[in-house]
Amino acid sequence: MSHSEHETEITVIPPDREKIAKLWKVAGILGIVTAIEFLIAFTMNAGPLKTSIFIALTIVKAAYIVGEFMHLRYEVKLLFWSILIPLIFIVWMLVAFIYEGLAIGSVRM
Amino acid sequence: MASTHAAAAPGRSEWDGGVSPMGASYGKLMMWFFLLSDAFTFSALLITYGLVRSSHHGYVGAVDDFVFSQAYWPIPEIVYQSIPFFHGVKAPLVFVGIMTFILIMSSVTMVLAVEAGHRMDRKAVEKWMLWTIVGGIAFLSCQAWEWTHFIHGVEIDGALVHAGLSHNPYGPPDFAAFFFFITGFHGFHVFSGVCLNFLIYYNTVMGVYDRRGHYEMVEKVGLYWHFVDLVWVFVFTFFYLV
């Protein structure tokens, strides 16, 4: 770091209002989706449909966080897919484990 | 930025060195792959929770008639219906809603700090990092209260029953065990995140990144902080809503 220790003139670039407004818009979307989740939590009866809606809304929120906040949407395609493709294993694990759980439940008691 | 997606020289592959084939610096790339591995860890925990939960019987009947029992898995909105300072007031999921809001807001302030870093605006980075730290501490405080309340337990047949790893008043023992393990593991991530955020804030104030010529560290720690928020989105759905 020694070579860069000298004081240099820092030029501060003024904020890009459009970019910041977009970030707040994403925050608003996350808030609205969460509000919808609350609404559904109290108005719908438990069941596969309710669970599916919750999972779908969670994936929407996750996509906005990873895509916009973590900026993955704008990264090089190679990086984008290197992160997304391994997540297939999670889907497989989910299906396998829930299937197994229901099987255990059917022999319990 | 320190590195850009530069094309390789003619006759050479992008992987022969000298360029960043993924258009990101080494440090940022490693943060991404660390987060991928951490995503697997959290998935393993949450999916195992799903296995155990789906192997237990669910409660059948009206929500209003629900009573805590070892025989079936409890309804989350009945378990989590207390808020601080309002003893006896039933406000299902309101407190966890506040916690979710705090974490989403701290994610926004973090992304604003990253944006300010791109512009080399030290004052703005300091401001937004400080807000992010405040959000993280607020979340941890909420969690401390929630744990205390959860462990304190509820009255069953006139006697107060505490919650622990082997026994809890809400439902099967696994219910509390998973609550402690998953929210605890997430809370530890938040705690680590607050420490890292403080380090970044300190370095910013000391002018380290101004001297370095870029604020990429804010971006890397920002990735971690957003990941913590991302995990909470899943914990919130699978623990409190479903």
Side-chain angles (χ1 to χ4, degrees):
Chain A
M1 210 157 74
S2 55
H3 63 279
S4 57
E5 282 292 346
H6 61 89
E7 286 299 317
T8 44
E9 202 60 42
I10 307 285
T11 27
V12 176
I13 305 161
D16 181 353
R17 302 226 167 270
E18 210 172 293
K19 205 171 154 190
I20 290 172
K22 199 185 168 197
L23 293 175
W24 282 105
K25 199 182 133 199
V26 173
I29 291 168
L30 290 175
I32 289 165
V33 173
T34 308
I36 293 170
E37 283 183 330
F38 268 95
L39 206 66
I40 292 167
F42 296 120
T43 52
M44 263 183 86
N45 291 321
L49 180 65
K50 192 180 183 182
T51 309
S52 313
I53 292 173
F54 279 145
I55 291 170
L57 289 176
T58 304
I59 291 169
V60 169
K61 283 205 281 185
Y64 271 107
I65 291 172
V66 179
E68 298 290 338
F69 283 179
M70 295 171 89
H71 216 256
L72 189 62
R73 237 169 62 109
Y74 308 100
E75 300 289 354
V76 174
K77 283 285 155 269
L78 187 62
L79 175 55
F80 181 84
W81 291 113
S82 300
I83 299 300
L84 278 203
I85 290 173
L87 299 180
I88 289 172
F89 290 113
I90 295 176
V91 177
W92 165 73
M93 191 184 180
L94 183 70
V95 172
F97 272 51
I98 299 300
Y99 183 77
E100 191 69 15
L102 292 170
I104 295 169
S106 68
V107 294
R108 206 194 279 269
M109 283 191 282
Chain B
M1 219 58 275
S3 60
T4 47
H5 187 58
R12 284 171 65 86
S13 151
E14 269 196 306
W15 297 92
D16 287 342
V19 287
S20 305
M22 285 190 176
S25 70
Y26 176 78
K28 212 170 130 182
L29 217 51
M30 289 306 111
M31 179 54 89
W32 267 112
F33 287 115
F34 162 69
L35 293 180
L36 183 63
S37 75
D38 219 17
F40 284 131
T41 310
F42 271 109
S43 305
L45 286 171
L46 279 171
I47 292 171
T48 309
Y49 169 77
L51 179 145
V52 171
R53 186 178 174 161
S54 57
S55 75
H56 279 86
H57 295 272
Y59 169 74
V60 187
V63 176
D64 293 333
D65 302 330
F66 178 84
V67 281
F68 291 129
S69 162
Q70 303 285 311
Y72 44 76
W73 205 260
I75 298 175
E77 62 196 60
I78 306 289
V79 180
Y80 311 104
Q81 61 175 3
S82 305
I83 41 172
F85 315 118
F86 292 93
H87 189 72
V89 177
K90 285 183 170 36
L93 301 179
V94 166
F95 190 61
V96 74
I98 295 167
M99 288 168 74
T100 306
F101 177 74
I102 291 171
L103 213 54
I104 288 177
M105 283 315 290
S106 82
S107 225
V108 179
T109 56
M110 185 79 225
V111 85
L112 288 169
V114 172
E115 192 272 339
H118 285 152
R119 300 187 286 103
M120 299 296 291
D121 190 342
R122 183 156 64 101
K123 281 275 169 280
V125 175
E126 284 172 14
K127 179 178 82 177
W128 293 119
M129 281 313 293
L130 214 49
W131 276 114
T132 310
I133 293 165
V134 168
I137 291 171
F139 181 85
L140 285 173
S141 312
C142 289
Q143 208 170 32
W145 182 86
E146 200 192 22
W147 271 52
T148 310
H149 187 82
F150 188 90
I151 294 167
H152 182 72
V154 289
E155 268 186 28
I156 289 178
D157 300 330
L160 186 66
V161 182
H162 296 296
L165 281 173
S166 58
H167 183 83
N168 72 83
Y170 313 108
D174 286 340
F175 174 71
F178 275 109
F179 172 82
F180 289 131
F181 210 97
I182 294 176
T183 65
F185 199 57
H186 175 264
F188 185 66
H189 273 73
V190 177
F191 174 73
S192 319
V194 170
C195 293
L196 289 172
N197 283 344
F198 183 77
L199 207 69
I200 297 301
Y201 171 71
Y202 178 81
N203 281 348
T204 306
V205 172
M206 298 306 280
V208 171
Y209 305 128
D210 270 348
R211 283 196 293 277
R212 198 175 283 175
H214 60 83
Y215 279 75
E216 210 195 49
M217 276 312 288
V218 181
E219 217 174 319
K220 285 178 221 166
V221 172
L223 284 177
Y224 180 77
W225 190 253
H226 294 313
F227 177 76
V228 168
D229 182 29
L230 177 72
V231 170
W232 180 255
V233 163
F234 283 91
V235 172
F236 175 66
T237 299
F238 294 113
F239 235 95
Y240 296 94
L241 290 181
V242 174

